[in-house]
Amino acid sequence: MTPDLVKRLGLVKELEGHTGCVNCIQWNSNGRLLASGSDDKTVIVWDGLVGRRMARVETPHEGNIFSVVWMPGADDQLVGTGAGDCRVCVLNVETGATLKSVIGHQGRVKRLTTAPDSPGVVWSGGEDGLVRQWDLRERWSMDSSNVLVNLTHHAGRGAEVKCVSICPSRSELIAVGANDPFVRVFDRRMITCSRLDPSAIPDTECGAVAYFVPGHLPGVEAAFHRKLRPLTSTYITYNKDGTELLCNLGGEQIY
């Protein structure tokens, strides 16, 4: 990114097709196809180079779609979606069929993420404080033994997962953003997925391997709440090399 490149940025196309707010977009791996998810509970696939609508898929969702991802290893035929109805779905954008659909969280599903070396697998982060791992080869249900991270064990009963991101160079690492100023990084190799058990004693061996937080923010969360500016990681993403992590910290700055 250079100043000259920034000066050249401008509006190229306006893509019209949704009848509600567009909450999420994602390019496919080669940068040709763009998937968008909306409050109208549909997913549209666009040819991003010419701005043409390729497909419009009705989903089983009954709430606003907050996240859409391309499923790796599916030749750009499958997308995953997460929405405000606590549901995670996998859809075939060519046929319009729903391959998987589950009410997998007890709070809104705010973000999905995938790893290129894990075909058929998608991770979901919900406002119930859970990160869950869904595999197309397995049966999906609320009581599946697929809870990867229970953030309430790390940040208290009010913890909500707002965003998740897999490190592209080390896919065993998953970064989790929440309704606090911390970004926690977990190593999936050190965690055994489990069934949700509210009475379970937290496993201290499954803690985060790294924490990131601006040094001036711990301890001042209450002051931000009083100003109606709660500190929440609304989006996190790694750079392509996995050496840097970008965080949009709602109520404060971008880090």
Side-chain angles (χ1 to χ4, degrees):
M1 186 68 69
T2 65
D4 287 340
L5 175 60
V6 172
K7 291 178 181 179
R8 294 200 302 271
L9 294 177
L11 179 65
V12 176
K13 295 281 185 181
E14 287 191 43
L15 307 179
E16 298 183 0
H18 287 291
T19 58
C21 296
V22 177
N23 300 313
C24 49
I25 57 175
Q26 191 185 55
W27 293 98
N28 71 338
S29 58
N30 66 18
R32 178 66 187 252
L33 300 178
L34 181 69
S36 58
S38 168
D39 285 359
D40 64 12
K41 307 174 187 65
T42 69
V43 170
I44 294 181
V45 176
W46 312 84
D47 184 321
L49 295 185
V50 300
R52 179 168 58 92
R53 189 172 79 178
M54 305 287 290
R56 185 177 186 270
V57 181
E58 299 285 344
T59 75
H61 289 298
E62 297 178 355
N64 302 342
I65 297 176
F66 292 127
S67 187
V68 60
V69 295
W70 293 93
M71 297 294 292
D75 296 326
D76 295 329
Q77 295 183 18
L78 304 182
V79 296
T81 55
D85 58 357
C86 311
R87 188 179 295 274
V88 178
C89 298
V90 173
L91 314 164
N92 188 312
V93 296
E94 292 191 355
T95 66
T98 300
L99 275 66
K100 294 284 188 180
S101 178
V102 63
I103 298 178
H105 288 267
Q106 295 174 329
R108 297 184 299 177
V109 180
K110 295 308 296 285
R111 198 72 61 195
L112 306 180
T113 189
T114 60
D117 59 359
S118 298
V121 179
V122 60
W123 290 269
S124 60
E127 290 182 332
D128 54 359
L130 302 181
V131 177
R132 306 192 75 156
Q133 177 175 295
W134 307 96
D135 191 324
L136 285 177
R137 298 166 296 181
E138 300 172 351
R139 174 179 171 269
W140 289 18
S141 72
M142 173 63 87
D143 61 356
S144 295
S145 297
N146 68 344
V147 176
L148 182 71
V149 176
N150 187 341
L151 206 60
T152 63
H153 291 169
H154 304 272
R157 297 178 61 181
E160 300 176 355
V161 175
K162 298 294 190 180
C163 44
V164 290
S165 183
I166 292 283
C167 179
S169 60
R170 296 184 58 193
S171 62
E172 70 273 13
L173 300 180
I174 181 169
V176 180
N179 56 334
D180 64 17
F182 295 87
V183 174
R184 299 164 177 88
V185 178
F186 296 85
D187 189 330
R188 296 190 291 113
R189 299 171 302 180
M190 301 171 60
I191 303 174
T192 300
C193 287
S194 61
R195 182 175 281 108
L196 178 62
D197 183 359
S199 63
I201 299 175
D203 185 355
T204 57
E205 298 299 321
C206 294
V209 296
Y211 293 83
F212 299 100
V213 61
H216 63 287
L217 292 181
V220 301
E221 294 95 327
F224 277 84
H225 275 278
R226 286 195 295 269
K227 298 176 183 178
L228 301 180
R229 293 171 54 199
L231 297 172
T232 298
S233 296
T234 59
Y235 188 78
I236 55 176
T237 186
Y238 283 94
N239 67 346
K240 65 182 180 65
D241 298 321
T243 57
E244 296 179 346
L245 188 60
L246 182 75
C247 174
N248 181 29
L249 189 58
E252 234 261 335
Q253 305 285 345
I254 296 175
Y255 294 93

